[in-house]
């Protein structure tokens, strides 16, 4: 991919930027061989991170397995000049693990005088924006402070990966491929840049549908490629997900962890019971006729608004609620599940749900890489750096009026 700042034909022939050549210390570029010097300060290293809920869309769209879809997408992006393609599953690992710890802490701190529960998930940017911009207090104190997978991935790429490659964060242009348009707003959210680096974690967000449209309009000759990892030359062939029907699985993972940590109960299978509708479901842990934990999943704004009404009245009976703005969850993000007339493509969504359910589940605590990153990158599980990097704060409506606000 030709650098937009460099017009010499030798530079346009390269498949890697000079930044990447400097990192790898491999053979000199054609320009260097000719004794010419390219201004590497003008170049960017292009990184794309793909959400796991986007892969079933590409698999259904191109009628291939999810692994083949991942390889085809990666190959296409590399043909455009992208240098590294990651998946965001490891970022979701951190988001879930931090949410687990926070729930247990809130459970112990909760009292009638200091109500730390219910804890409401904060991984969905549409829901978080609604909570911050419209609801404010008393809702925002209930939001989990763990950053979303997209926010964590931004730190992984712009901080950890940049350090590994001896690059400044500003030399990396980071693109997220995601199922919904709200991820674009999340990338613009104030205060997302970490104190450890001044650049935003995500520079651009493309929906799965936008990427598919680019692929359909392209006449490039594409070869499949294996997704990169944050750990050098190691390649991951196997696509995995977390235990969620259509999301990153915060509810199931936090429920299992809380059952074990708080009540020493091992939960193998999480059983969901539909309540008001299929997008409002309940999960409980019971022992000797007593309900020890009561969790819920509330998807779509109709269910969210009903939940908020009960919360404000003090009548919400749940310890934890997984909240997602899209009915049907992340797979039904409007950036990939819409038909041409703007309605939900129900047949496509059903196909994606089947594909997603067949992806092997990997619990986040089983990842050796995550444990290594806690020690090597974050200086420990509960270090100040881990708190700063993996957690966020929420604003009140009075402090954050913005032209991008949405009237829900």
């Amino acid at each position: 991919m030709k650098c937009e700042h460099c017009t010499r034909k030798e530079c346009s022939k390269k498949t890697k930027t000079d930044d990447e050549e400097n990192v790898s210390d491999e053979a000199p570029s054609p320009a260097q061989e000719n004794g010419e010097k390219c201004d590497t300060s003008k170049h960017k290293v292009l990184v794309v991170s793909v959400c796991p809920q986007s892969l079933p869309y590409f698999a259904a769209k191109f009628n291939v397995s999810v692994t083949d879809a991942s390889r085809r997408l990666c190959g296409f992006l590399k043909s455009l000049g992208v240098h590294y393609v990651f998946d965001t599953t490891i970022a979701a690992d951190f988001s879930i693990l931090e949410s687990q710890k926070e729930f247990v802490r809130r459970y112990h701190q909760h009292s009638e005088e200091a109500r730390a529960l219910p804890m409401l998930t904060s991984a969905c940017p549409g829901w978080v924006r609604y909570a911050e911009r419209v609801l404010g207090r008393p809702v925002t104190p209930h939001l989990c402070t763990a950053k979303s997978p997209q926010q964590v991935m931004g730190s992984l790429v712009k901080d950890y990966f940049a350090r590994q490659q001896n690059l400044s964060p500003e030399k990396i242009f980071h693109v997220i491929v995601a199922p919904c348009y709200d991820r674009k707003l999340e990338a613009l959210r104030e205060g997302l840049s970490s104190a450890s680096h001044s650049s935003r974690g995500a520079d651009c967000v493309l929906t799965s549908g936008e990427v598919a449209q680019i692929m359909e309009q392209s006449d490039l000759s594409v070869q499949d490629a294996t997704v990169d990892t944050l750990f050098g030359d190691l390649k991951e062939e196997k696509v995995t997900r977390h235990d969620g029907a259509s999301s990153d699985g915060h509810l199931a993972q936090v429920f299992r962890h809380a059952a074990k940590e708080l009540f020493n109960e091992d939960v193998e299978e999480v059983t969901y019971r539909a309540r008001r509708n299929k997008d409002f479901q309940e999960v409980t842990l019971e022992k000797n006729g007593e309900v020890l934990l009561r969790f819920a999943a509330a998807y779509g704004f109709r269910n969210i608004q009903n939940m908020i009404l009960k919360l404000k009245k003090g009548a919400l009976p749940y310890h934890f609620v997984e909240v997602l703005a899209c009915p049907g969850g992340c797979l039904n993000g409007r950036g990939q599940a819409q038909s041409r007339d703007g309605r939900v493509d129900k047949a496509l969504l059903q196909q994606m749900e089947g594909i997603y359910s067949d992806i092997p589940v990997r619990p986040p605590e089983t990842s050796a890489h995550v444990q290594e990153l806690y020690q090597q990158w974050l200086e420990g599980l509960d270090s100040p750096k881990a708190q700063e990097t993996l957690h966020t704060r929420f604003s009140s409506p009075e402090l954050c009026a913005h032209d991008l606000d949405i009237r829900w």
Side-chain angles (χ1 to χ4, degrees):
M1 180 170 160
K2 182 177 178 180
C3 171
E4 62 178 336
H5 298 287
C6 192
T7 58
R8 290 182 293 99
K9 62 181 181 180
E10 291 89 356
C11 191
S12 66
K13 291 177 182 178
K14 292 190 293 177
T15 58
K16 295 182 178 181
T17 65
D18 282 348
D19 276 331
E20 197 175 20
E21 296 294 343
N22 290 341
V23 169
S24 60
D25 290 326
E26 294 175 353
S29 69
Q32 290 171 326
E33 289 177 345
N34 294 335
E36 300 178 12
K37 189 173 182 180
C38 186
D39 184 2
T40 58
S41 66
K42 302 292 186 180
H43 290 283
K44 294 275 187 180
V45 173
L46 302 180
V47 174
V48 175
S49 298
V50 182
C51 297
Q53 293 80 24
S54 291
L55 291 179
Y57 170 78
F58 291 104
K61 190 79 173 175
F62 301 115
N63 195 29
V64 296
S65 71
V66 72
T67 299
D68 289 341
S70 175
R71 292 177 62 85
R72 181 177 298 185
L73 174 62
C74 182
F76 175 74
L77 293 170
K78 293 285 182 79
S79 73
L80 293 178
V82 174
H83 304 105
Y84 300 94
V85 179
F86 303 128
D87 80 76
T88 65
T89 303
I90 192 170
D93 287 338
F94 281 105
S95 181
I96 292 170
L97 291 172
E98 292 300 307
S99 298
Q100 291 178 174
K101 290 190 293 184
E102 181 169 337
F103 176 79
V104 171
R105 184 173 66 252
R106 282 176 178 252
Y107 186 91
H108 288 306
Q109 293 173 346
H110 180 71
S111 66
E112 288 301 320
E113 294 76 24
R115 302 187 65 83
L117 297 176
M119 187 173 89
L120 310 176
T121 56
S122 56
C124 171
W127 150 242
V128 169
R129 195 169 186 87
Y130 177 63
E132 282 191 303
R133 306 299 175 125
V134 179
L135 302 175
R137 292 183 175 273
V139 174
T140 50
H142 292 275
L143 288 174
C144 176
T145 66
K147 287 185 177 179
S148 72
Q150 177 170 307
Q151 294 170 324
V152 176
M153 197 68 200
S155 295
L156 280 166
V157 170
K158 290 295 186 81
D159 186 19
Y160 173 76
F161 180 71
R163 291 171 187 266
Q164 295 298 108
Q165 301 297 316
N166 294 319
L167 291 169
S168 65
E170 291 76 16
K171 299 293 284 291
I172 298 176
F173 191 85
H174 185 206
V175 181
I176 300 285
V177 177
C180 72
Y181 293 99
D182 287 337
R183 296 289 176 187
K184 297 174 184 281
L185 292 174
E186 182 176 26
L188 294 173
R189 182 173 176 263
E190 296 86 350
L192 289 192
S193 45
S194 167
S196 59
H197 58 85
S198 58
S199 63
R200 291 187 180 275
D203 299 291
C204 174
V205 175
L206 295 174
T207 67
S208 316
E210 289 170 335
V211 174
Q213 185 177 11
I214 296 171
M215 295 176 76
E216 290 169 351
Q217 295 174 350
S218 173
D219 58 357
L220 291 172
S221 177
V222 178
Q223 291 184 342
D224 290 356
T226 306
V227 173
D228 301 293
T229 78
L230 295 162
F231 310 99
D233 294 333
L234 180 66
K235 300 289 183 180
E236 288 182 347
E237 288 281 356
K238 193 174 184 180
V239 176
T240 61
R241 67 175 177 91
H242 297 115
D243 190 4
S246 60
S247 66
D248 281 309
H250 284 70
L251 187 153
Q253 294 294 151
V254 174
F255 185 80
R256 285 195 182 94
H257 179 78
K260 183 65 176 178
E261 287 291 311
L262 298 173
F263 305 103
N264 198 30
E265 293 287 332
D266 293 305
V267 177
E268 293 185 4
E269 185 175 351
V270 178
T271 303
Y272 293 81
R273 293 189 297 273
R275 306 301 292 178
R276 299 175 60 90
N277 50 66
K278 65 183 180 69
D279 279 327
F280 194 95
Q281 300 191 63
E282 187 178 278
V283 176
T284 58
L285 177 68
E286 300 180 27
K287 187 175 182 179
N288 300 326
E290 179 186 1
V291 176
L292 303 177
L293 291 173
R294 192 185 298 272
F295 282 28
Y299 298 170
F301 272 91
R302 180 179 62 174
N303 290 319
I304 291 174
Q305 288 166 347
N306 288 330
M307 176 197 71
I308 294 304
L309 286 175
K310 290 185 177 181
L311 176 64
K312 289 182 175 180
K313 294 177 181 178
L316 191 66
Y318 301 108
H319 298 100
F320 176 99
V321 185
E322 181 180 71
V323 190
L324 298 175
C326 292
C330 295
L331 288 180
N332 192 29
R334 295 307 170 88
Q336 65 182 21
Q338 279 194 153
S339 58
R340 293 188 180 276
D341 61 1
R343 298 181 181 181
V344 176
D345 189 331
K346 294 183 179 180
L348 176 62
L349 179 59
Q350 186 176 12
Q351 187 179 1
M352 287 192 292
E353 288 172 345
I355 293 170
Y356 192 68
S357 65
D358 289 337
I359 298 175
V361 172
R362 179 184 58 74
E365 58 268 17
T366 63
S367 172
H369 288 314
V370 169
Q371 301 307 318
E372 291 173 9
L373 285 170
Y374 265 117
Q375 300 304 321
Q376 298 175 7
W377 174 43
L378 299 173
E379 301 169 0
L381 287 172
D382 298 306
S383 69
K385 184 173 181 181
Q387 178 66 29
E388 175 199 358
T389 304
L390 302 178
H391 290 263
T392 188
R393 294 183 298 272
F394 300 101
S395 305
S396 62
E398 297 79 16
L399 299 177
C400 53
H402 197 284
D403 291 339
L404 291 172
D405 285 349
I406 295 175
R407 293 183 181 181
W408 297 100

